Amino acid sequence: MSKRTGLAGLVDFARREPFDVLVVVLVLHVLIWTLMPALLNANLQLDLAEDLALGKEWQLVYWKHPPLPWWMAAGLYQLTGDVRMVYLLGPLASAVAMGAVWRLGKDIVGAFPALLAVLALEGLHFFNFSVVKFAHDQCQLPFWALTALFFHRGLTREKILDWALAGVFLALCFWSKYAAFALAATLGLFLLADRDARRAWATPGPYVMAIAFALVVAPNAWALVQSDFLPFRYVDERAKTAAHWWQFAWYPLQWTFGQIGFLLPTLGLLALLYPLRRADAATRPLTLGDVDPNVISPGAFDRRYLAWLALGPFAVTTLVAAVLGRLPVAMWGYPLWSMLPLAIVAWRGAPFEDVRLIRFALGVVAVLVIMPLVYVAVEEGEPLLRDRPKATQFPGKRLAEIVTRDFLEKTGQPLAYVTGTEFAANNVAVYGPTRPHVIVHGDPALSPWIDMADVKKRGVLIVWEEQGAGLVDAWMKTFPGATVRGRLMLPRQAHGKVAPVRLQYAIVPPEGAPLIILPPGAAMPPAK
């Protein structure tokens, strides 16, 4: 038989060497979604600036989230010294997650069908456009998938190490974001509800997992108690509360429709694989002899497990939000759908029809090309068509240079503390030469790493965008003694006719120190 070329040849190669194709796709995924924002974006994304501004404080818990993503970003910056390196973290997290999904799928449906499920994830918004904004949602992805992998292995192989690793990775999910409760609840319910899974209670496995989880999560749990569960207040404020009876019904529907919207490209890719009616196994054409070594027929238990993992966390999130009358934030769906394509493949059976596989390959190639092109078009072309302020256009480095220099010239001291509106202050902390500490929202209670006595001793800079004008009086009461105010109008870092950024700032000099006017160009003393 003659060797096929083009997409047909690619399909044949993927059947023979699914792991090689997986590696190539994941390497391209990481390279593309790391290099594009690093090269195109003149300023860090909102979440990335926050990562670097607060991660360096190395807290066990922060005012709105657990610390792991911020630690990872701060650690990478300390290793490399380049703020753009944080763009690597999101794509790498998603690639590890896809690798774990493939490994789980290889155990259940076989290497080639598992590859198809992973390729379908490339169409999911959470694995392309949003993946460049590494923060708590993105950090969950690898640990969520690894928990699912080792929990399944614990149930099927009954090895203590698998159970222990499942507990460790579940704890790391919680260190990433407390929304991991949805995964933990799903796994617990599965152990109780599934007739085969219940047998695990007679083994040491679940108890080993619980102990491993408790040991790893304990420091963060202790910090949560010490902070009076401060991050949960932030979650409470983020989720919109129902004010009318009909919103208790509408909010779950609104949340569900939003998640379906995110899923449409992935579901479209999977639709290319399967006919509307499920074909009988005896009528499916094979292409590699009578038996494809990369295909396994999944058992009923495995199909149930994947169904629980694919839909359970979404159901838990939706139910809790509905009972509380809350509208879940759309990005809370970030890790919920990692297992959905694999579950569909397991329940529908491995697709063998050449024409459908070739269509799927064409669809995947289109997604791999179109999504990055759309990202480039949005970043580079949108400012030419409309003026929509974006974090990536913000003049963060210029702002940091100006206010840091002015603080030095007016006080004779390097800038050690900054506060004000969140994004402006974070940019000064990230791009400023002295990398000052951020006092979050001008509230020392949200910034336990701050010693107010030291703030008075060294002074503080307050900087705000236009939307922060209403908070200035409160900031001045918290940090009295502002002697200099400045106004800035800085151009955005974008092509086209975009409005400049308007900012104001105030300098609170060190307590008891006279206001000093240094000559322009004075040397910048190092931060202490």
Side-chain angles (χ1 to χ4, degrees), residues 12 25 63 145 184 223 227 241 256 283 300 337 360 425 465 527:
D12 288 343
V25 169
W63 67 283
S227 69
T241 304
T256 301
T283 64
W337 307 114
F360 178 80
E465 299 154 90

Side-chain angles (χ1 to χ4, degrees), residues 60 66-69 71 136 171-177 216-220:
L60 283 174
L68 184 57
W71 287 357
H136 300 79
L172 291 175
C173 276
F174 277 84
W175 276 95
S176 301
K177 194 170 183 178
V216 175
V217 86
N220 185 252

Side-chain angles (χ1 to χ4, degrees), residues 42-47 389-395 423 427 492:
N43 199 78
L44 286 179
Q45 301 272 3
L46 186 80
D47 290 333
K390 301 175 67 174
T392 54
Q393 304 168 358
F394 191 81
F423 190 55
N427 271 266
R492 290 191 175 274

Side-chain angles (χ1 to χ4, degrees), residues 151-420:
F151 189 81
H152 178 264
R153 288 186 170 184
L155 288 169
T156 55
R157 303 198 310 186
E158 299 182 355
K159 291 185 177 180
I160 294 299
L161 180 60
D162 291 332
W163 284 104
L165 288 173
V168 169
F169 288 124
L170 181 60
L172 291 175
C173 276
F174 277 84
W175 276 95
S176 301
K177 194 170 183 178
Y178 299 122
F181 166 78
L183 175 61
T186 298
L187 296 177
L189 289 171
F190 182 73
L191 274 178
L192 293 172
D194 189 86
R195 62 181 181 274
D196 293 322
R198 281 198 299 267
R199 298 171 186 167
W201 292 109
T203 73
Y207 312 102
V208 170
M209 179 179 175
I211 293 171
F213 171 82
L215 289 174
V216 175
V217 86
N220 185 252
W222 175 84
L224 269 177
V225 174
Q226 293 297 112
S227 69
D228 196 22
F229 298 93
L230 185 61
F232 293 167
R233 300 177 204 170
Y234 169 77
V235 175
D236 185 59
E237 293 171 0
R238 282 289 310 273
K240 189 176 179 181
T241 304
H244 306 282
W245 65 266
W246 54 268
Q247 290 176 322
F248 281 87
W250 170 242
Y251 281 173
L253 293 175
Q254 184 178 348
W255 150 256
T256 301
F257 291 147
Q259 295 304 303
I260 292 174
F262 287 132
L263 284 169
L264 283 178
T266 288
L267 295 177
L269 286 174
L270 291 169
L272 296 174
L273 287 173
Y274 298 104
L276 292 178
R277 295 182 61 184
R278 183 171 179 174
D280 183 78
T283 64
R284 294 179 194 152
L286 300 176
T287 55
L288 291 181
D290 294 330
V291 177
D292 188 333
N294 287 320
V295 173
I296 301 171
S297 179
F301 171 77
D302 290 332
R303 291 198 300 270
R304 294 197 305 271
Y305 177 74
L306 289 177
W308 273 80
L309 266 292
L311 301 176
F314 170 75
V316 169
T317 303
T318 305
L319 179 62
V320 171
V323 170
L324 297 178
R326 297 303 181 94
L327 175 62
V329 178
M331 294 302 286
W332 290 359
Y334 214 100
L336 301 183
W337 307 114
S338 302
M339 299 294 160
L340 181 64
L342 183 57
I344 291 174
V345 169
W347 278 87
R348 287 301 306 265
F352 292 100
E353 297 178 41
D354 263 8
V355 63
R356 292 190 176 276
L357 290 172
I358 291 172
R359 290 173 187 170
F360 178 80
L362 179 61
V364 170
V365 171
V367 165
L368 292 173
V369 173
I370 292 174
M371 291 299 186
L373 289 178
V374 172
Y375 183 89
V376 173
V378 169
E379 289 297 323
E380 294 296 301
E382 186 182 25
L384 301 174
L385 302 176
R386 63 169 177 166
D387 183 7
R388 183 172 73 94
K390 301 175 67 174
T392 54
Q393 304 168 358
F394 191 81
K397 189 173 183 180
R398 182 65 180 141
L399 167 65
E401 290 173 348
I402 292 173
V403 298
T404 303
R405 171 62 60 184
D406 201 33
F407 190 92
L408 170 66
E409 292 177 352
K410 298 297 192 297
T411 69
Q413 299 292 324
L415 178 61
Y417 295 99
V418 62
T419 190

Side-chain angles (χ1 to χ4, degrees), residues 56 404 414-417 428-429 431-437 524-528:
K56 65 180 181 179
T404 303
L415 178 61
Y417 295 99
V428 173
Y431 290 106
T434 60
R435 300 208 71 217
H437 301 284
M524 177 76 68
K528 297 180 181 178

